[in-house]
């Protein structure tokens, strides 16, 4: 006997079993209790998968935020090493301007030195304005409290009219790029004289 039958064969043989025949009603292999148990298990799986999905979504959002922060920091601080090099040039320029200022005193009749000093002063001012435009600022810690994140102690100075722990002198200027210290200021800190 053939297991499969075509629609034509069924028509030719006739509908021997109609819908009113109780033997054709599908029998459920699972009882109602088993179906409820399976439904509860499926609901638990849905809750578990929903929770996993929410956690994965939150993790991906955190990764996106961190990546965005890294990109923004790279844009802001990508010029950090370049700024460190330029700060060295600014130091040389400042020392040269100070030397020219000492030589170009009013008692010295040499007008060339005076012009050199004025030119160096203009260059130094322009350089500092370019620094400020790009977020690089010179620290001015004299009179402020010592901060190990911004300053490096090179000497101790007797406190004359200053509170101990305040900065009395600066031997090398420090610089910050967008609030981040890229070069510590070398400072002398006031201490109580004994």
């Amino acid at each position: 006997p053939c297991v499969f039958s075509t629609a034509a064969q069924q028509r030719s043989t006739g509908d021997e079993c109609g819908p009113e025949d109780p033997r054709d009603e599908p029998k459920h292999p699972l009882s109602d209790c088993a179906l409820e148990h399976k439904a509860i298990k499926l609901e638990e799986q849905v809750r578990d998968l929903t929770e996993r999905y929410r956690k994965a979504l939150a993790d991906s959002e955190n990764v996106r935020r961190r990546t965005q922060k890294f990109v923004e920091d790279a844009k802001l601080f990508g010029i950090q090493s370049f700024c460190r090099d330029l700060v060295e040039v600014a130091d040389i320029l400042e020392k040269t301007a100070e030397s020219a200022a000492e030589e170009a005193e009013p008692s010295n009749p040499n007008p060339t030195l005076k012009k050199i000093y004025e030119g160096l002063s203009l260059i130094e001012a322009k350089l500092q304005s370019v620094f400020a435009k790009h977020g690089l600022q010179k620290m001015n810690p004299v009179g402020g409290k010592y901060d190990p994140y911004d300053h490096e102690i090179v000497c101790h100075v007797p406190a004359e009219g200053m509170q101990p722990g305040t900065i009395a002198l600066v031997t090398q200027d420090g610089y910050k790029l967008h609030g981040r210290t890229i070069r510590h200021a070398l400072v002398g800190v006031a201490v109580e004289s004994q």
Side-chain angles (χ1 to χ4, degrees):
C2 182
V3 177
F4 299 105
S5 66
T6 63
Q9 288 173 338
Q10 288 177 355
R11 268 191 235 121
S12 67
T13 59
D15 289 328
E16 296 169 0
C17 20
E20 52 280 304
D21 193 354
R23 287 175 290 162
D24 268 357
E25 287 182 18
K27 292 186 179 179
H28 295 290
L30 300 174
S31 67
D32 288 340
C33 183
L35 285 174
E36 285 179 25
H37 182 67
K38 193 167 189 169
I40 290 171
K41 273 188 169 184
L42 288 174
E43 286 174 1
E44 287 175 3
Q45 285 179 344
V46 166
R47 279 194 297 272
D48 182 50
L49 290 174
T50 303
E51 185 63 29
R52 283 188 195 176
Y53 171 74
R54 286 183 183 146
K55 286 181 180 177
L57 203 60
D59 286 346
S60 68
E61 181 64 22
N62 288 340
V63 167
R64 186 191 67 76
R65 273 194 229 117
R66 275 197 306 266
T67 304
Q68 185 177 7
K69 173 97 171 86
F70 289 144
V71 168
E72 288 170 2
D73 284 352
K75 286 178 184 176
L76 283 177
F77 300 109
I79 61 170
Q80 188 168 327
S81 64
F82 180 66
C83 287
R84 280 190 190 121
D85 293 340
L86 277 180
V87 162
E88 300 296 325
V89 173
D91 287 344
I92 293 169
L93 183 61
E94 184 178 347
K95 287 178 182 157
T96 306
E98 287 173 5
S99 295
E102 290 172 4
E103 294 294 323
E105 291 179 353
S107 62
N108 191 343
N110 192 345
T112 305
L113 280 177
K114 187 175 181 181
K115 288 181 181 179
I116 289 174
Y117 169 70
E118 289 171 358
L120 288 173
S121 296
L122 288 173
I123 292 171
E124 188 178 9
K126 181 63 177 175
L127 185 61
Q128 289 301 322
S129 74
V130 169
F131 283 175
K133 177 181 174 186
H134 293 282
L136 182 63
Q137 294 177 333
K138 185 190 288 191
M139 289 187 252
N140 189 12
V142 175
K145 281 286 191 191
Y146 168 73
D147 182 357
Y149 295 106
D150 292 337
H151 313 122
E152 185 177 327
I153 298 174
V154 292
C155 65
H156 292 283
V157 179
E160 296 175 10
M162 298 185 100
Q163 287 186 347
T166 58
I167 297 170
L169 65 98
V170 176
T171 59
Q172 184 182 42
D173 292 322
Y175 283 85
K176 286 186 173 195
L177 179 63
H178 297 289
R180 180 188 288 178
T181 301
I182 64 166
R183 186 174 83 176
H184 290 82
L186 302 181
V187 298
V189 176
V191 292
E192 287 185 32
S193 55
Q194 297 175 353

